[in-house]
Amino acid sequence: MTTRIKIETLHALAFNKLQQAGYPETIAKQVADVLVHADSHGVHSHGVIRVEHYCHRLSQGGMNPDPTMTIEKISSSVAILDGDDGMGHCALIKATEEAITIAKEHAVGFVSIKNTSHCGALSYFAQMAADQGLISISMTQTDTCVAPFGGAEAFWGTNPIAFGFPVENGNPVIIDMATSATAFGKLLHAKETGQSISLGLAIDKDGVETTDPHAATTLLPFGFHKGSGIAMAIDALTGMLMGANFSNHIVRMYDDYDKMRKLASLMIVIDPSKFGGHSFSNMMAQMVSELHQVKPAPGFDKVLAPNEPQTAYLEDCQRNGVPVTTSIYQYLTNH
């Protein structure tokens, strides 16, 4: 069962719950911003379903509620942000702001992030850059829950990556995806809503593919060896670049609640105006327009660009409210 809730109301509920748990007002607001962005764009696996976890981890000592984040400039275009073991959402917001500032002056802003935690949907940070006419590439490591290609047990995290591109007079093209065949949070959502999952997404304790989210213990990589290889590259560009943990060495999200997770991420922002006199966003608009003109395959009404389904979902939520499962709504409203 789900309940439709106005976007503003859902934000207030998440904000209040986080603040009651001990997160300062600014932190709680930023986290609620990212979570409600995910829910209102149809990415419920990264939405307010996570509030309870963030509150529990804080209560157990595995989160710094009020971090002092610092930025170390390595060169004119490269910086390192130390998240001081605080909320990953806030660290990525600050890193994105820094990367935007650098890119506007030096064409490219490269900001590595260390000592942080789960940051939510990367699309939020891609939107931040795209809103200012900038390109972005972001990625983050996660704890192990994905079998490597050919393996029957977990080794990689879902290790998501996102790309954002501004589009003139239109919504940005945002590609936000896990390197697993599905996000782990979607398993949580399937359990929460009583749904099954498709074959090819996860395996059980014996290494056999399953459609039962309750039996699933390990996700599979997308595209077989391709997703497995990209997951490895992301661990190298985040955790290993920062001298942090990787793979099975990362503190688990749903375990070891008293330990800081020490995750690493990366945000790269590019100012396309620095690369010649052409209008990048205008060319992106042309690309999207021509993509729409491609003959659709049977069963499809139209070929869509990445982020268009999410934008349509947002418009529906703005009109009718965000669907929230009854159990999540009860948690958020229980004082």
Side-chain angles (χ1 to χ4, degrees):
M1 294 290 291
T2 61
T3 302
R4 287 271 187 167
I5 305 172
K6 289 183 179 180
I7 292 175
E8 298 79 8
T9 302
L10 185 60
H11 187 282
L13 289 173
F15 170 81
N16 290 337
K17 204 71 176 180
L18 290 163
Q19 201 171 29
Q20 289 165 12
Y23 290 103
E25 180 178 348
T26 301
I27 301 293
K29 180 187 180 303
Q30 288 185 333
V31 175
D33 286 347
V34 180
L35 298 183
V36 174
H37 162 89
D39 272 319
S40 61
H41 284 75
V43 190
H44 297 290
S45 58
H46 287 61
V48 297
I49 191 174
R50 304 279 183 162
V51 170
E52 184 173 7
H53 166 76
Y54 299 145
C55 294
H56 181 63
R57 180 167 284 279
L58 178 63
S59 72
Q60 298 302 302
M63 186 76 70
N64 181 355
D66 193 11
T68 301
M69 293 185 284
T70 57
I71 296 176
E72 177 188 2
K73 292 295 292 287
I74 303 302
S75 71
S76 59
S77 58
V78 179
I80 297 173
L81 184 143
D82 189 330
D84 193 27
D85 297 313
M87 293 295 283
H89 317 69
C90 306
L92 264 291
I93 287 173
K94 190 173 182 67
T96 303
E97 291 171 343
E98 178 69 15
I100 286 172
T101 298
I102 294 173
K104 287 182 175 180
E105 183 175 357
H106 299 288
V108 177
F110 183 109
V111 181
S112 287
I113 304 103
K114 65 180 181 179
N115 295 327
T116 186
S117 62
H118 186 256
C119 65
L122 292 176
S123 59
Y124 181 92
F125 316 108
Q127 183 82 48
M128 285 177 61
D131 284 346
Q132 297 199 38
L134 305 174
I135 299 166
S136 68
I137 306 168
S138 54
M139 62 193 77
T140 189
Q141 60 175 186
T142 71
D143 55 301
T144 179
C145 61
V146 182
F149 178 63
E153 60 183 6
F155 187 79
W156 302 124
T158 58
N159 292 6
I161 185 169
F163 303 84
F165 304 97
V167 176
E168 187 171 290
N169 299 321
N171 293 304
V173 168
I174 295 176
I175 304 157
D176 180 2
M177 63 182 207
T179 51
S180 52
T182 189
F184 184 75
K186 291 187 178 179
L187 280 189
L188 300 179
H189 187 64
K191 291 179 183 180
E192 192 71 36
T193 56
Q195 298 176 334
S196 61
I197 58 174
S198 301
L199 276 175
L201 300 184
I203 54 178
D204 62 19
K205 60 183 177 60
D206 299 315
V208 178
E209 288 187 27
T210 180
T211 60
D212 181 358
H214 296 280
T217 60
T218 306
L219 300 177
L220 291 169
F222 86 84
F224 307 102
H225 60 287
K226 298 177 182 178
S228 190
I230 296 173
M232 182 178 189
I234 291 171
D235 241 342
L237 285 167
T238 56
M240 296 186 76
L241 186 63
M242 289 290 90
N245 288 326
F246 65 92
S247 179
N248 285 315
H249 301 283
I250 296 172
V251 173
R252 300 183 71 82
M253 184 170 184
Y254 290 96
D255 201 357
D256 297 326
Y257 287 101
D258 59 335
K259 296 180 181 178
M260 302 300 185
R261 299 198 62 213
K262 304 290 185 182
L263 295 181
S265 306
L266 173 62
M267 170 56 73
I268 302 170
V269 174
I270 302 166
D271 184 350
S273 70
K274 307 285 196 228
F275 292 80
H278 66 287
S279 171
F280 178 86
S281 62
N282 181 267
M283 291 186 71
M284 284 298 303
Q286 179 184 348
M287 178 189 284
V288 170
S289 176
E290 293 183 7
L291 184 64
H292 289 162
Q293 296 169 33
V294 173
K295 180 181 177 180
F300 291 85
D301 297 324
K302 182 180 181 181
V303 177
L304 299 175
N307 198 43
E308 289 188 315
Q310 289 78 13
T311 299
Y313 195 94
L314 172 62
E315 292 171 353
D316 177 67
C317 288
Q318 289 170 334
R319 290 191 302 268
N320 304 308
V322 183
V324 179
T325 59
T326 300
S327 60
I328 299 295
Y329 179 72
Q330 289 173 342
Y331 169 77
L332 292 174
T333 55
N334 180 16
H335 300 290

